[in-house]
Amino acid sequence: MTRRDAPATEEGWYALHDFRRIDWDAWREAPDHERDRALAEGVEFLRARENLSDAEQGGSAVFTVAGHEADIMVLHLRPETEQLDRIERAFEHTALAGFTERTDSYVSVTEISGYVTEELEDGIENIEDDGTRNYMLQRLYPSIPDAEHVCFYPMDKRRDAEYNWYDLPFDERADLISGHGDIGREYAGKVTQIITGSMGFDDHEWGVTLFADDPTEIKHLLADMRFDSSSSRYAEFGRFRFGRRFAPEHLPELFAGEPLPAYGSGDVETPTPDAEEPDSAADTASTDDADDAEDTDDAGGRPDPGAPPHDAATTEELEEELRRLGVDASEHPEAGFGLVFYSDENAEALVDEVDGLRSNFEHYDTHVLTSVRAHAGRTAVVSLWKNERAANTASGFLGDLAGVDGDGIGGQLADRDASERADTAAADDGGDTTPPEVEGTDDEEDDDIRGELSELDIYAGKPHGEDVYAMVLYSAADLDELREEVESLSGGFDRYDTHVGTSLYEGTGTDRAAVVSLWETRDAADTAGDYLSDLPDIVGRAGEESTFGTMGMFYTVKPEHREDFVDHFGTVGEMLGDMDGHIETDLMVNVDDENDMFIASQWEDREDAMGFFRSDAFRDTVQWGRDILADRPRHVFLA
């Protein structure tokens, strides 16, 4: 029989799950002074363990346990077995220990295995991927989450005649664990886990500790996993224990049978270590029974995973860089930290890799946005997070993207909530809340035009409820050939968050076809123009021969009035031909929807175009159009 090699493992902190039953008869019979002493020493002992007074690293927490086998579970994580041994003996010296009896315990050690990456064989310090290395460190040196509920159970991998986990080839085992982890990732942000190995330490092979605020999420997660082959065929489970976390200061309420507030509810001040830990930002690995969600702020002195691979930028520098890439930080007030990495890879080639990364990021509540942006011939990846800890972990993954040839930049974003509070306070105090004046921009010029049109009761440029920028190119190519090219290009554009839509139109007054591409930002539209210009037989770009161009987009005509609309446009077109500053106007029809049209109109300057919008003829046309259009005409300006 072929000998199977065990996967490489790395170990971190040792774990002790200590289960205690309260001797209620002895407690009821004890005099008040003995009970008071027991509670005081119990609170002092548990609080000291949570504050790591006995060690520089690790963590401790105390939980109630529902059911008959135990009343309390205390979880301890420490770097050395000697420290766990000392904790056990120290508790026995407290007066509280005399009113408890140990009913069970479990000894194990936090573990990461070679199923995550075979590079682990060379040691975690030699793993090149910063994101994977940081992920592993967080698994080896975990914080105990502040979630209210806990579930602990031991487990084994089955070894019988039909299903023997240890007889499977490594690749098959790795695939099963990967699929198992995919289920766990669906619960990221809802259920957090600590996985510990216990071969040689206790009766089972692993211990699994799950944490959640909503206890039903634990149930749902385990139910989903039972139907996965990794569990249904190969997993065997020990006794499950379930309970609630409480602060040590609430030990008297526990013994008095009084309600215990949810952990972290704020009614007890709980000292915490000074160190901070990074959140789990991108979970690319799988585990035996659930994938990690976000960690808490209680670092427990975990080893420093190293500086994140980005340079520090000031808030002003970062937000200016984001603006250049078409990302307005003010539109994401929940974001507290931003990252920008540049790659030598073509933007389209990098999209798939970033999509995979984003799909993992989106499992976490701290993730706000991750997007590929093309700007000035370079490819940028922008990632926004709610806090710096999560961003620092994500930074490791972003720094490993293809073509990233140097450090990215990262920094704090302006506190929008604080600004709003300050504005509100200033208003309440009668203070001046007028924003400072800034220099004009191209966007402001567009806003001026839209404002002018709005005064004329013309809806200007917000299809789908948001500003868009349009790139329009004309082609003399065969329409069928061009359609195939445009469909392919549009499919590629759809990978970008800033893409609104790309369609092919045929002119009614000219022999030209028009390709219209709508984008959320000016820079994105300009970049799209580089790809659009490679389409066959491009003969010109809208607005090239004029100093001002405007188009009425999304003229969606009621089908029964389509011919009326086309005829009326012919009349308007004749009138436009006699107007000063007019160069050309054509009615373009979507080749996939004859009722979707736009009017492309070029003018020598802005004032000539505005003169048309102010004319009685235009007003009459608008009034007439309200009866035959399925929606209001929307005007979009060329990028």
Side-chain angles (χ1 to χ4, degrees):
M1 179 179 288
T2 302
R3 181 180 183 274
R4 306 298 183 191
D5 292 329
T9 60
E10 287 272 348
E11 287 73 35
W13 288 336
Y14 294 93
L16 170 64
H17 292 72
D18 190 359
F19 295 91
R20 299 270 169 170
R21 180 186 294 132
I22 298 171
D23 185 344
W24 290 110
D25 290 336
W27 181 257
R28 282 187 289 267
E29 294 172 359
D32 288 344
H33 72 276
E34 289 187 11
R35 291 192 292 186
D36 290 343
R37 178 190 170 200
L39 291 173
E41 291 186 8
V43 170
E44 181 182 4
F45 175 86
L46 294 172
R47 172 50 57 206
R49 301 292 86 71
E50 286 201 9
N51 288 343
L52 294 177
S53 62
D54 61 307
E56 294 182 357
Q57 298 176 331
S60 291
V62 59
F63 307 83
T64 64
V65 177
H68 70 285
E69 290 198 349
D71 296 300
I72 299 173
M73 179 186 83
V74 187
L75 169 61
H76 301 290
L77 299 172
R78 293 295 186 272
E80 304 293 340
T81 57
E82 184 276 333
Q83 293 165 322
L84 291 183
D85 178 56
R86 184 157 27 100
I87 286 174
E88 287 189 85
R89 289 183 283 108
F91 178 73
E92 294 299 338
H93 283 276
T94 68
L96 181 65
F99 293 98
T100 70
E101 176 188 0
R102 172 180 278 170
T103 60
D104 200 0
S105 64
Y106 202 81
V107 179
S108 54
V109 62
T110 58
E111 176 188 276
I112 196 80
S113 76
Y115 294 121
V116 176
T117 172
E118 293 187 50
E119 291 182 70
L120 192 64
E121 292 182 358
D122 298 325
I124 194 170
E125 68 280 0
N126 295 316
I127 294 176
E128 294 183 3
D129 186 308
D130 290 334
T132 300
R133 186 171 60 254
N134 289 343
Y135 161 79
M136 289 183 170
L137 289 171
Q138 290 171 19
R139 291 285 303 280
L140 292 176
Y141 310 106
S143 293
I144 299 175
D146 286 343
E148 181 177 358
H149 296 94
V150 67
C151 171
F152 171 77
Y153 59 94
M155 65 170 292
D156 295 321
K157 286 300 185 184
R158 188 167 293 149
R159 290 174 292 170
D160 60 28
E162 183 177 7
Y163 295 114
N164 189 330
W165 173 260
Y166 296 96
D167 277 344
L168 295 176
F170 177 87
D171 290 345
E172 189 171 344
R173 280 177 275 138
D175 287 343
L176 285 168
I177 286 181
S178 177
H180 209 55
D182 289 342
I183 299 173
R185 275 186 283 277
E186 296 175 9
Y187 288 84
K190 301 175 184 178
V191 180
T192 306
Q193 73 166 7
I194 295 177
I195 294 290
T196 51
S198 48
M199 290 185 181
F201 290 172
D202 221 308
D203 292 343
H204 294 268
E205 295 167 346
W206 290 278
V208 181
T209 313
L210 304 178
F211 304 85
D213 284 319
D214 182 351
T216 63
E217 294 293 355
I218 294 176
K219 177 179 180 294
H220 296 158
L221 167 64
L222 293 177
D224 284 348
M225 287 190 164
R226 291 296 173 94
F227 287 90
D228 180 68
S229 296
S230 183
S231 286
S232 64
R233 295 180 180 179
Y234 297 104
E236 294 181 337
F237 302 96
R239 183 80 166 85
F240 282 71
R241 273 94 170 187
F242 175 82
R244 296 176 66 228
R245 186 172 182 181
F246 67 95
E249 287 75 11
H250 288 301
L251 192 67
E253 287 98 310
L254 173 70
F255 275 77
E258 297 175 358
L260 292 174
Y263 184 81
S265 58
D267 57 337
V268 173
E269 286 192 12
T270 303
T272 57
D274 293 333
E276 292 184 346
E277 71 155 331
D279 284 356
S280 294
D283 199 0
T284 60
S286 55
T287 67
D288 270 339
D289 252 278
D291 248 50
D292 281 338
E294 296 161 272
D295 292 322
T296 65
D297 291 337
D298 182 9
R302 72 160 58 205
D304 184 1
H310 63 256
D311 294 330
T314 66
T315 298
E316 293 75 15
E317 292 169 342
L318 178 64
E319 294 199 350
E320 177 59 31
E321 187 70 8
L322 291 174
R323 278 192 291 271
R324 278 197 288 268
L325 297 171
V327 177
D328 184 354
S330 66
E331 294 180 357
H332 305 281
E334 71 276 27
F337 202 90
L339 300 165
V340 178
F341 281 81
Y342 280 98
S343 169
D344 293 334
E345 289 287 315
N346 178 278
E348 190 168 356
L350 198 63
V351 164
D352 287 339
E353 189 175 356
V354 173
D355 280 349
L357 205 54
R358 187 195 302 111
S359 67
N360 287 312
F361 287 170
E362 288 176 348
H363 287 302
Y364 299 93
D365 294 338
T366 48
H367 179 248
V368 177
L369 173 148
T370 296
S371 177
V372 175
R373 304 287 169 132
H375 175 69
R378 302 183 71 192
T379 299
V381 180
V382 173
S383 194
L384 304 183
W385 295 82
K386 290 183 180 179
N387 61 53
E388 182 175 1
R389 295 183 302 278
N392 283 345
T393 302
S395 178
F397 291 93
L398 296 169
D400 290 326
L401 288 170
V404 173
D405 56 356
D407 293 339
I409 63 169
Q412 298 285 347
L413 298 170
D415 188 344
R416 314 292 170 186
D417 292 336
S419 299
E420 290 177 6
R421 290 192 296 270
D423 290 345
T424 301
D428 291 341
D429 294 337
D432 182 12
T433 59
T434 304
E437 293 184 4
V438 296
E439 295 182 6
T441 64
D442 292 336
D443 290 341
E444 289 173 345
E445 182 178 349
D446 285 348
D447 290 339
D448 290 343
I449 300 171
R450 291 189 175 97
E452 218 173 316
L453 291 173
S454 179
E455 292 175 1
L456 298 172
D457 195 27
I458 302 171
Y459 183 70
K462 287 197 175 185
H464 310 301
E466 57 189 332
D467 289 317
V468 298
Y469 296 85
M471 180 63 61
V472 179
L473 286 87
Y474 295 103
S475 171
D478 176 77
L479 202 62
D480 291 335
E481 176 190 358
L482 191 59
R483 180 187 300 205
E484 185 176 344
E485 295 277 352
V486 170
E487 287 177 352
S488 175
L489 198 58
S490 180
F493 287 164
D494 283 340
R495 298 174 178 176
Y496 298 90
D497 295 339
T498 50
H499 184 232
V500 176
T502 298
S503 301
L504 177 62
Y505 292 77
E506 184 178 15
T508 59
T510 68
D511 293 331
R512 289 179 301 189
V515 181
V516 178
S517 193
L518 301 180
W519 297 80
E520 292 179 359
T521 68
R522 182 185 301 273
D523 284 340
D526 283 337
T527 301
D530 294 336
Y531 294 96
L532 293 164
S533 62
D534 291 331
L535 289 169
D537 295 330
I538 294 298
V539 295
R541 171 179 166 177
E544 281 186 344
E545 68 272 36
S546 61
T547 58
F548 182 78
T550 182
M551 322 177 288
M553 292 295 299
F554 303 108
Y555 279 84
T556 306
V557 184
K558 296 176 182 177
E560 64 270 24
H561 293 294
R562 183 184 184 282
E563 295 304 321
D564 291 339
F565 182 85
V566 174
D567 291 343
H568 191 79
F569 171 77
T571 303
V572 174
E574 292 176 2
M575 179 195 69
L576 290 173
D578 297 330
M579 295 191 69
D580 293 338
H582 177 256
I583 297 174
E584 179 185 87
T585 297
D586 193 10
L587 177 66
M588 314 294 295
V589 180
N590 190 324
V591 297
D592 294 319
D593 180 3
E594 66 174 7
N595 298 311
D596 172 30
M597 311 178 196
F598 81 84
I599 298 174
S601 189
Q602 273 75 52
W603 299 81
E604 290 181 357
D605 57 43
R606 168 178 166 176
E607 280 309 308
D608 288 331
M610 295 306 298
F612 166 65
F613 289 128
R614 296 189 189 101
S615 68
D616 291 339
F618 181 80
R619 289 179 181 275
D620 292 343
T621 300
V622 169
Q623 185 61 43
W624 173 81
R626 286 181 176 140
D627 296 328
I628 72 165
L629 297 180
D631 198 356
R632 300 176 67 186
R634 299 173 173 93
H635 289 76
V636 180
F637 302 96
L638 293 183

